[in-house]
Amino acid sequence: MQKSLSQLCKAVFDTKGWWPSVRQMLQWCVLVLTEKSGTLQLVGVEEDPCVTAMFAATRVCMGNKVDIVLSSDVHSQERATEWSDFYKNLGVSLNTNMKKTDVSYKDIYESDIVFGTINDFVSDYFQYSREVMETGNPLPNRGFIIEEQSLSSSLNLELSRFKNNDSLVFAAEVLQSLMGEIQKHRDVQRARTLSHSANTEDLQEVLAVLCNAVHLHKAGGKWWPRINQMISWCLLALSDTGKLLEMGTGEGKSCVIAMFAVLRVLRGEKVDVVSSSSVLCQRDAEEWKNFYKYFGVTADTNTNKTEDEDRKECYQKDVVYGTIEAFAADHLRQTFEMKDVRPDRSYQCIIIDEVDSLLLDQGVQLTYLSSPMVSMQHLNVILTMIWSHVRQYGFLSAEHQTFVRGPPASFFKAIFDSIDTEGTEIDDPMDILRIAEESNTVPKGFTEEIYQSEKDELLRKLKTVSQDAVLNFFQEIEDYILYGFTVYTLDDEGLLCVRKCSPYNNQDIPELKFLVLEEGLCCPLHDSEEILIQPIAELISGKLQYTPCTDNKDKISIPGFLKNLVEKKVSVWVQNAFLAMQLMEGREYVVENNNVCPVDFRSTGIVEQNKKWGDGLQQFVEIKHQIKLSTISIVTNYMSNISFFEKYQGKIYGTTGTLGSKTDILFLQDLYPTLSACKMPTFNRKKLFEVKGALKTSAEEWKSEIKRVVMAQISPNSYRGGRAALVICETINKAKEIHEELKSSIPGEIILYCRSDRDKIDKELLPGDVIVATNLAGRGTDIKVSKQVTNNGGLFVILSFLSENTRVELQAFGRTARKGKPGSAQVIMSTDHLSQSFRTVSSLEEAKSTRDRLAAEKINNMMNDVTELKLREDLLSEYCKTLQEIHKNTDGDEKRAVVAVMNEFWGIWLQTKSEDIDQLKRNKLLNSLKADLALAKSQSKGRLHHVRAFITTSSLEISH
């Protein structure tokens, strides 16, 4: 093989005066090693005349004859003329099949290599076949190479040569009829009639009409649906029980969805198309509007509607694109709020784009409408008290563990507060200080001085106690009390550095951990905030009193009807206060216009502007950023994704580029028993090369490696020109960090893509261009690159973090090597960015293995969540029966007032019963709800005065 390549390269140099590039040599090697069939049949080869010539000459030397199919006669003549000296140098005969006088077909096709168009080759095949039948001579065995650009011309054969021969006129007519079959079918009314048929021949005709419409009204006559798209449509069209298709990234899922949606509309159904983000659904609805219009099909998007009238108008359309949150919220507006939003649109057919994201990643998600209630404002003071206490704590890391740091205190008080003094002679913190005095940690008389000092004087005296003295004292005190102490200090980077370990390895002797600061101060270190939640909750509860009560000026008064709610939820609120401390702006949320907006950074990268966190988390983040405090929301209605999808009675159809593992598919089939799944082959061979990943041990090494790889890929070298690159980061903060690192070095344009509502990728990337993005660019985004970038190896993708599961990783890699074009990708990650579960991994492979194991466990545990969701929805259904009675038997102000009172009761009831719901006490809960609803309904009139004050101000918003 080396000798052959050497001879071919020398022939190129001898005839052209230049040597083939390394890239061209590699392409030749790939073709030789992969195309080993006896008769060459190579379709869709990239246009590189040198590689094609070298490969064709190789096949001739192996004893084959080769036809090279190009896009036009001019192109064929030019190529033959340009490379004739090369072929002659190797002793390879050459011809073209363009019509020549006094030259037989036999003479042309005795040549080793023939250039021509598909039109001429097909015509010559029939002509030569007629000669064979007359003479009895066999057809020559020839292979073919069809270059990529000539494929589009193959659908428009003229076959004009046939008409010059009477005996071939019939053959020409038949072949022309076959090739033009799709173009003939444009009768929309007939397609509407045939769409109801189960006959495959009728559906073939409907498919032809759809394909023709795509060609004319979406593609502008430039392309047709590919064969794998037609097969995908057929699988969906022939299924009555739901079908999920895995189609490779870049294989045209949106085309299949639009064609299938039209079929269902022609059958008289309304179609809901659900996507993973508002960006994707709005894009697809806009791109396919002319295609829908051709069939008289109306389409709209529900994600940009803010008024009920606009929502109602939207749902009167035949096809509605939207997100699951928007669909579920509008269902709740119709069924729970009794608004006229989706009055007569039944749940007939749903098509899910990116089905794995919606059925798996967000499978147990709840969407709900929340009503901020005036009475809930009384809880704000409790949340503020909790935050003022919790904010004294902090989080610190030491190697592979994270600790919760307690508030700083004098070393003797911190120790006293942490130990159990029962059965000891230690009665107060000063006893600890006396031990320090006995051990010479502090000078003689220090205890008495401290005892008589005011607070300011005490702090001044503590400054005389060195850090080393306190460190030594922790060893001395182990002789006085039966505890082992592990002690840390902070290094220059703010990380915990162990200075002393507990001398005991005995479970009966407690171990306590402390951080020693300067000036005689130290902080207790806790393994987790879990051990702090209950004590803090009890501390907060002790500062509250519930009306009616005797006024105690040292306590905060809370309305008595909130007592059960507060007692049940105070621990949850404390837990969420700790969580709010750990959430990072630019990672889990963004702050803009004095609003906190969650970010779905793990999956889609979308900033979720219409969502809010519950159970006080939203309010704690607002307090953290000193933003106006919103009223805590009480959930009164909700709908899970699972429940929403079940409304379509099994008629769930979906596509995705990554359907998932066997565990994922089994989970989906347990949830939706009628669903079946199918993996579709790609139209073009996938040309993705995955570079071996890199695991770095520090954030600085990680940034340097990303920069090095990006610069190496986008810069030209000896065997190729420059490429374009996409760096996908875990969070907005990380994306900005990498963007800052790269921007001064990038020769082309650098684009930051983190916000779907602000940033756009609307240009074709040129060599040297770089996009730095979040997962927003990782799913469903079609990034255009120039032909030059494609010729240089395509887009290079760097995934700069360990994704939550393999599907997210494959979606990111799916931004390159699309539609048969080349591309490559690499994972470059840092152990600094990994969660606690991954901190001990030593290789990227080990990290991925751990990730996959945890992802499988998460899927297995989701079924428990499904059981709880179904219980919650059964409770809501029971409550809705009461609501319907109220709407039926009351009207006007009375109805609004009673509904408001009942909703408040219902929301508080749900919160107070959360523990029983977690424990799945179904019968107990349903019986309790029926009895409590009857009592609340009878008492509701007595509370109308409490409600009228806020009926007109209550506004509804989507919250999740």
Side-chain angles (χ1 to χ4, degrees), residues 604-615:
T604 64
I606 293 289
V607 176
E608 299 170 309
Q609 294 177 314
N610 292 325
K611 291 187 179 180
K612 290 186 177 181
W613 289 305
D615 280 336

mmCIF file with all atom_site columns, all heavy atoms in Angstrom, residues 604-615:
data_model
loop_
_atom_site.group_PDB
_atom_site.id
_atom_site.type_symbol
_atom_site.label_atom_id
_atom_site.label_alt_id
_atom_site.label_comp_id
_atom_site.label_asym_id
_atom_site.label_entity_id
_atom_site.label_seq_id
_atom_site.pdbx_PDB_ins_code
_atom_site.Cartn_x
_atom_site.Cartn_y
_atom_site.Cartn_z
_atom_site.occupancy
_atom_site.B_iso_or_equiv
_atom_site.pdbx_formal_charge
_atom_site.auth_seq_id
_atom_site.auth_comp_id
_atom_site.auth_asym_id
_atom_site.auth_atom_id
_atom_site.pdbx_PDB_model_num
ATOM 1  N N   . THR A 1 604 ? -30.525 21.597 28.705 1.00 0.00 ? 604 THR A N   1
ATOM 2  C CA  . THR A 1 604 ? -30.757 22.425 27.517 1.00 0.00 ? 604 THR A CA  1
ATOM 3  C C   . THR A 1 604 ? -30.028 23.760 27.553 1.00 0.00 ? 604 THR A C   1
ATOM 4  O O   . THR A 1 604 ? -29.887 24.404 26.518 1.00 0.00 ? 604 THR A O   1
ATOM 5  C CB  . THR A 1 604 ? -32.261 22.710 27.341 1.00 0.00 ? 604 THR A CB  1
ATOM 6  O OG1 . THR A 1 604 ? -32.737 23.488 28.467 1.00 0.00 ? 604 THR A OG1 1
ATOM 7  C CG2 . THR A 1 604 ? -33.045 21.414 27.270 1.00 0.00 ? 604 THR A CG2 1
ATOM 8  N N   . GLY A 1 605 ? -29.591 24.211 28.732 1.00 0.00 ? 605 GLY A N   1
ATOM 9  C CA  . GLY A 1 605 ? -28.942 25.508 28.832 1.00 0.00 ? 605 GLY A CA  1
ATOM 10 C C   . GLY A 1 605 ? -29.890 26.692 28.760 1.00 0.00 ? 605 GLY A C   1
ATOM 11 O O   . GLY A 1 605 ? -29.460 27.841 28.708 1.00 0.00 ? 605 GLY A O   1
ATOM 12 N N   . ILE A 1 606 ? -31.194 26.440 28.786 1.00 0.00 ? 606 ILE A N   1
ATOM 13 C CA  . ILE A 1 606 ? -32.194 27.494 28.624 1.00 0.00 ? 606 ILE A CA  1
ATOM 14 C C   . ILE A 1 606 ? -32.363 28.283 29.927 1.00 0.00 ? 606 ILE A C   1
ATOM 15 O O   . ILE A 1 606 ? -32.424 27.709 31.017 1.00 0.00 ? 606 ILE A O   1
ATOM 16 C CB  . ILE A 1 606 ? -33.556 26.890 28.204 1.00 0.00 ? 606 ILE A CB  1
ATOM 17 C CG1 . ILE A 1 606 ? -33.468 26.281 26.802 1.00 0.00 ? 606 ILE A CG1 1
ATOM 18 C CG2 . ILE A 1 606 ? -34.660 27.928 28.262 1.00 0.00 ? 606 ILE A CG2 1
ATOM 19 C CD1 . ILE A 1 606 ? -33.338 27.297 25.701 1.00 0.00 ? 606 ILE A CD1 1
ATOM 20 N N   . VAL A 1 607 ? -32.442 29.610 29.806 1.00 0.00 ? 607 VAL A N   1
ATOM 21 C CA  . VAL A 1 607 ? -32.819 30.464 30.938 1.00 0.00 ? 607 VAL A CA  1
ATOM 22 C C   . VAL A 1 607 ? -34.344 30.444 31.036 1.00 0.00 ? 607 VAL A C   1
ATOM 23 O O   . VAL A 1 607 ? -35.048 30.882 30.132 1.00 0.00 ? 607 VAL A O   1
ATOM 24 C CB  . VAL A 1 607 ? -32.318 31.908 30.742 1.00 0.00 ? 607 VAL A CB  1
ATOM 25 C CG1 . VAL A 1 607 ? -32.806 32.793 31.883 1.00 0.00 ? 607 VAL A CG1 1
ATOM 26 C CG2 . VAL A 1 607 ? -30.795 31.935 30.673 1.00 0.00 ? 607 VAL A CG2 1
ATOM 27 N N   . GLU A 1 608 ? -34.871 29.900 32.134 1.00 0.00 ? 608 GLU A N   1
ATOM 28 C CA  . GLU A 1 608 ? -36.303 29.637 32.258 1.00 0.00 ? 608 GLU A CA  1
ATOM 29 C C   . GLU A 1 608 ? -36.996 30.831 32.922 1.00 0.00 ? 608 GLU A C   1
ATOM 30 O O   . GLU A 1 608 ? -37.255 30.854 34.128 1.00 0.00 ? 608 GLU A O   1
ATOM 31 C CB  . GLU A 1 608 ? -36.504 28.342 33.050 1.00 0.00 ? 608 GLU A CB  1
ATOM 32 C CG  . GLU A 1 608 ? -35.854 27.159 32.335 1.00 0.00 ? 608 GLU A CG  1
ATOM 33 C CD  . GLU A 1 608 ? -35.819 25.907 33.181 1.00 0.00 ? 608 GLU A CD  1
ATOM 34 O OE1 . GLU A 1 608 ? -35.362 25.969 34.329 1.00 0.00 ? 608 GLU A OE1 1
ATOM 35 O OE2 . GLU A 1 608 ? -36.241 24.857 32.680 1.00 0.00 ? 608 GLU A OE2 1
ATOM 36 N N   . GLN A 1 609 ? -37.311 31.826 32.091 1.00 0.00 ? 609 GLN A N   1
ATOM 37 C CA  . GLN A 1 609 ? -37.798 33.104 32.603 1.00 0.00 ? 609 GLN A CA  1
ATOM 38 C C   . GLN A 1 609 ? -39.190 33.012 33.222 1.00 0.00 ? 609 GLN A C   1
ATOM 39 O O   . GLN A 1 609 ? -39.585 33.883 33.997 1.00 0.00 ? 609 GLN A O   1
ATOM 40 C CB  . GLN A 1 609 ? -37.783 34.135 31.471 1.00 0.00 ? 609 GLN A CB  1
ATOM 41 C CG  . GLN A 1 609 ? -36.371 34.455 31.003 1.00 0.00 ? 609 GLN A CG  1
ATOM 42 C CD  . GLN A 1 609 ? -36.364 35.418 29.846 1.00 0.00 ? 609 GLN A CD  1
ATOM 43 O OE1 . GLN A 1 609 ? -37.119 35.281 28.888 1.00 0.00 ? 609 GLN A OE1 1
ATOM 44 N NE2 . GLN A 1 609 ? -35.499 36.415 29.914 1.00 0.00 ? 609 GLN A NE2 1
ATOM 45 N N   . ASN A 1 610 ? -39.950 31.985 32.890 1.00 0.00 ? 610 ASN A N   1
ATOM 46 C CA  . ASN A 1 610 ? -41.309 31.867 33.422 1.00 0.00 ? 610 ASN A CA  1
ATOM 47 C C   . ASN A 1 610 ? -41.405 30.860 34.562 1.00 0.00 ? 610 ASN A C   1
ATOM 48 O O   . ASN A 1 610 ? -42.494 30.406 34.895 1.00 0.00 ? 610 ASN A O   1
ATOM 49 C CB  . ASN A 1 610 ? -42.273 31.463 32.305 1.00 0.00 ? 610 ASN A CB  1
ATOM 50 C CG  . ASN A 1 610 ? -42.439 32.566 31.283 1.00 0.00 ? 610 ASN A CG  1
ATOM 51 O OD1 . ASN A 1 610 ? -42.424 33.734 31.637 1.00 0.00 ? 610 ASN A OD1 1
ATOM 52 N ND2 . ASN A 1 610 ? -42.559 32.201 30.015 1.00 0.00 ? 610 ASN A ND2 1
ATOM 53 N N   . LYS A 1 611 ? -40.271 30.507 35.148 1.00 0.00 ? 611 LYS A N   1
ATOM 54 C CA  . LYS A 1 611 ? -40.282 29.528 36.230 1.00 0.00 ? 611 LYS A CA  1
ATOM 55 C C   . LYS A 1 611 ? -39.741 30.138 37.514 1.00 0.00 ? 611 LYS A C   1
ATOM 56 O O   . LYS A 1 611 ? -38.902 31.029 37.491 1.00 0.00 ? 611 LYS A O   1
ATOM 57 C CB  . LYS A 1 611 ? -39.434 28.303 35.850 1.00 0.00 ? 611 LYS A CB  1
ATOM 58 C CG  . LYS A 1 611 ? -40.040 27.477 34.744 1.00 0.00 ? 611 LYS A CG  1
ATOM 59 C CD  . LYS A 1 611 ? -39.257 26.205 34.539 1.00 0.00 ? 611 LYS A CD  1
ATOM 60 C CE  . LYS A 1 611 ? -39.875 25.358 33.434 1.00 0.00 ? 611 LYS A CE  1
ATOM 61 N NZ  . LYS A 1 611 ? -39.138 24.106 33.213 1.00 0.00 ? 611 LYS A NZ  1
ATOM 62 N N   . LYS A 1 612 ? -40.245 29.607 38.634 1.00 0.00 ? 612 LYS A N   1
ATOM 63 C CA  . LYS A 1 612 ? -39.738 29.991 39.945 1.00 0.00 ? 612 LYS A CA  1
ATOM 64 C C   . LYS A 1 612 ? -39.604 28.742 40.802 1.00 0.00 ? 612 LYS A C   1
ATOM 65 O O   . LYS A 1 612 ? -40.381 27.793 40.670 1.00 0.00 ? 612 LYS A O   1
ATOM 66 C CB  . LYS A 1 612 ? -40.672 30.995 40.625 1.00 0.00 ? 612 LYS A CB  1
ATOM 67 C CG  . LYS A 1 612 ? -40.662 32.377 39.973 1.00 0.00 ? 612 LYS A CG  1
ATOM 68 C CD  . LYS A 1 612 ? -41.488 33.377 40.781 1.00 0.00 ? 612 LYS A CD  1
ATOM 69 C CE  . LYS A 1 612 ? -41.399 34.766 40.160 1.00 0.00 ? 612 LYS A CE  1
ATOM 70 N NZ  . LYS A 1 612 ? -42.173 35.763 40.921 1.00 0.00 ? 612 LYS A NZ  1
ATOM 71 N N   . TRP A 1 613 ? -38.613 28.771 41.689 1.00 0.00 ? 613 TRP A N   1
ATOM 72 C CA  . TRP A 1 613 ? -38.456 27.665 42.616 1.00 0.00 ? 613 TRP A CA  1
ATOM 73 C C   . TRP A 1 613 ? -39.490 27.757 43.741 1.00 0.00 ? 613 TRP A C   1
ATOM 74 O O   . TRP A 1 613 ? -40.005 28.835 44.048 1.00 0.00 ? 613 TRP A O   1
ATOM 75 C CB  . TRP A 1 613 ? -37.069 27.696 43.238 1.00 0.00 ? 613 TRP A CB  1
ATOM 76 C CG  . TRP A 1 613 ? -35.964 27.335 42.295 1.00 0.00 ? 613 TRP A CG  1
ATOM 77 C CD1 . TRP A 1 613 ? -35.870 26.199 41.546 1.00 0.00 ? 613 TRP A CD1 1
ATOM 78 C CD2 . TRP A 1 613 ? -34.792 28.093 42.004 1.00 0.00 ? 613 TRP A CD2 1
ATOM 79 N NE1 . TRP A 1 613 ? -34.716 26.205 40.808 1.00 0.00 ? 613 TRP A NE1 1
ATOM 80 C CE2 . TRP A 1 613 ? -34.032 27.360 41.073 1.00 0.00 ? 613 TRP A CE2 1
ATOM 81 C CE3 . TRP A 1 613 ? -34.304 29.316 42.444 1.00 0.00 ? 613 TRP A CE3 1
ATOM 82 C CZ2 . TRP A 1 613 ? -32.814 27.805 40.574 1.00 0.00 ? 613 TRP A CZ2 1
ATOM 83 C CZ3 . TRP A 1 613 ? -33.090 29.763 41.951 1.00 0.00 ? 613 TRP A CZ3 1
ATOM 84 C CH2 . TRP A 1 613 ? -32.358 29.024 41.030 1.00 0.00 ? 613 TRP A CH2 1
ATOM 85 N N   . GLY A 1 614 ? -39.777 26.627 44.352 1.00 0.00 ? 614 GLY A N   1
ATOM 86 C CA  . GLY A 1 614 ? -40.756 26.575 45.431 1.00 0.00 ? 614 GLY A CA  1
ATOM 87 C C   . GLY A 1 614 ? -40.109 26.365 46.785 1.00 0.00 ? 614 GLY A C   1
ATOM 88 O O   . GLY A 1 614 ? -38.887 26.314 46.933 1.00 0.00 ? 614 GLY A O   1
ATOM 89 N N   . ASP A 1 615 ? -40.963 26.244 47.809 1.00 0.00 ? 615 ASP A N   1
ATOM 90 C CA  . ASP A 1 615 ? -40.541 25.966 49.183 1.00 0.00 ? 615 ASP A CA  1
ATOM 91 C C   . ASP A 1 615 ? -39.506 26.960 49.693 1.00 0.00 ? 615 ASP A C   1
ATOM 92 O O   . ASP A 1 615 ? -38.542 26.590 50.394 1.00 0.00 ? 615 ASP A O   1
ATOM 93 C CB  . ASP A 1 615 ? -40.005 24.536 49.311 1.00 0.00 ? 615 ASP A CB  1
ATOM 94 C CG  . ASP A 1 615 ? -41.127 23.513 49.430 1.00 0.00 ? 615 ASP A CG  1
ATOM 95 O OD1 . ASP A 1 615 ? -42.224 23.902 49.872 1.00 0.00 ? 615 ASP A OD1 1
ATOM 96 O OD2 . ASP A 1 615 ? -40.918 22.343 49.068 1.00 0.00 ? 615 ASP A OD2 1
#
